[in-house]
Amino acid sequence: MIQDIIIAILWSISPFGEAKVGIPYGMFNGVNIYLVFAVCFLANVLVFPIMMFFLEKINNYLLRWNFYKKSAIYVARKAKVGSGNKIKKYGFWGLLFFVMIPLPGTGVYAGSIATYLFKIKKRKAFLANTLGIFFSSVIVWTTTLLTMKGIS
């Protein structure tokens, strides 16, 4: 069980799944449904401060290398084109709804990048990301629970 919790946490901090994958993984592997929600949610929330540190401190240093710079510009353009206008227009609410949608390409990693690119105040962005992660986690948790019960 401890191993399944650790794997669920790793999925929840991973850019390839976040809590959208960590929660179902834990639930389908027999971890307590409330414990898995809390642990995966908190692990996913920790991504925001880590990403902000990376984007503000380490990113500037890495931009010296051409390969990284090209990759960073590509990601920034994708972020701005994808939902940049809506996040820019609606600010806090746009960021919250963007992070809340449990689809690939949305979530706290994209929300952190949007915060950095659009220069949204960090406290406001942290709250929007946290609420977005919470609602996304509730949607995934409920859907997984209903699927396990054979209702969905």
Side-chain angles (χ1 to χ4, degrees), residues 10-111:
L10 291 174
W11 271 117
S12 296
I13 61 174
S14 163
F16 303 110
E18 300 189 20
K20 300 168 213 166
V21 175
I23 290 171
Y25 174 84
M27 290 174 75
F28 283 122
N29 284 290
V31 178
N32 178 286
I33 60 173
Y34 303 108
L35 175 64
V36 78
F37 178 87
V39 167
C40 290
F41 166 72
L42 292 173
N44 207 184
V45 169
L46 286 175
V47 170
F48 182 81
I50 294 167
M51 278 294 291
M52 293 314 297
F53 175 79
F54 173 82
L55 290 168
E56 291 174 347
K57 307 289 186 215
I58 300 169
N59 185 49
N60 290 332
Y61 176 75
L62 293 176
L63 285 172
R64 297 176 190 173
W65 285 283
N66 204 25
F67 172 76
Y68 180 81
K69 188 174 186 174
K70 285 181 181 180
S71 300
I73 290 170
Y74 174 78
V75 169
R77 284 190 181 138
K78 293 282 278 184
K80 284 184 176 181
V81 170
S83 13
N85 292 337
K86 289 184 178 49
I87 292 173
K88 217 171 181 182
K89 181 178 178 182
Y90 297 109
F92 175 86
W93 295 105
L95 185 58
L96 187 150
F97 285 115
F98 179 71
V99 173
M100 182 180 84
I101 301 167
L103 293 172
T106 65
V108 71
Y109 282 93

Side-chain angles (χ1 to χ4, degrees), residues 19-28 31-41 100 102 133-149 152:
K20 300 168 213 166
V21 175
I23 290 171
Y25 174 84
M27 290 174 75
F28 283 122
V31 178
N32 178 286
I33 60 173
Y34 303 108
L35 175 64
V36 78
F37 178 87
V39 167
C40 290
F41 166 72
M100 182 180 84
I133 295 165
F134 178 77
F135 291 124
S136 175
S137 296
V138 167
I139 292 167
V140 169
W141 183 81
T142 304
T143 305
T144 305
L145 190 61
L146 290 173
T147 301
M148 290 173 69
K149 300 263 185 210
S152 182

